[in-house]
Amino acid sequence: MRDSPLPTKRRRYDAAFRAEALRLASESRSTQAAARALNIDPKRIYKWQKQVLTPVAAAQGAELDPATAAELRQLRAANRRQAQELEILKKAIASCLL
């Protein structure tokens, strides 16, 4: 006779739930508030956010050959750099107009 309770199974979240959780976290004032609203661990949302930002993890879902995956990583890195440059230029223009 066992005195310990049976282990519980891990809950699996589908892609739609993950997308909704990430959207809520981005619109919310904090990721922890979004996690409380969804009744899940905040670490799980942080992990999903990291997966979305990692090009290799994003390419895992698609069946890509190594050359295409490498090109995708390069393009996403260039896109991030250009977005940062755009933000810097917007701030510079805003400070000049004041």
Side-chain angles (χ1 to χ4, degrees):
M1 189 164 159
R2 268 197 291 192
D3 291 335
S4 63
L6 294 175
T8 59
K9 291 186 178 183
R10 288 186 182 177
R11 182 171 175 204
R12 294 195 177 251
Y13 300 98
D14 62 348
F17 182 84
R18 288 180 183 187
E20 180 64 21
L22 292 174
R23 184 194 62 78
L24 186 62
S26 67
E27 292 176 357
S28 178
R29 68 181 193 282
S30 73
T31 302
Q32 291 183 351
R36 276 192 303 270
L38 295 170
N39 198 23
I40 60 174
D41 185 30
K43 290 180 184 178
R44 188 171 308 274
I45 294 180
Y46 289 126
K47 180 181 171 188
W48 292 341
Q49 288 172 335
K50 186 176 180 181
Q51 285 177 346
V52 168
L53 294 176
T54 306
V56 174
Q60 285 177 349
E63 304 245 347
L64 299 176
D65 61 301
T68 305
E71 183 181 8
L72 180 62
R73 283 192 298 274
Q74 289 175 345
L75 291 172
R76 286 185 177 169
N79 190 15
R80 281 193 302 272
R81 275 194 311 275
Q82 288 178 349
Q84 289 174 344
E85 290 173 3
L86 180 62
E87 288 301 316
I88 291 169
L89 290 172
K90 284 180 182 179
K91 290 177 183 178
I93 290 173
S95 66
C96 289
L97 295 176
L98 294 177

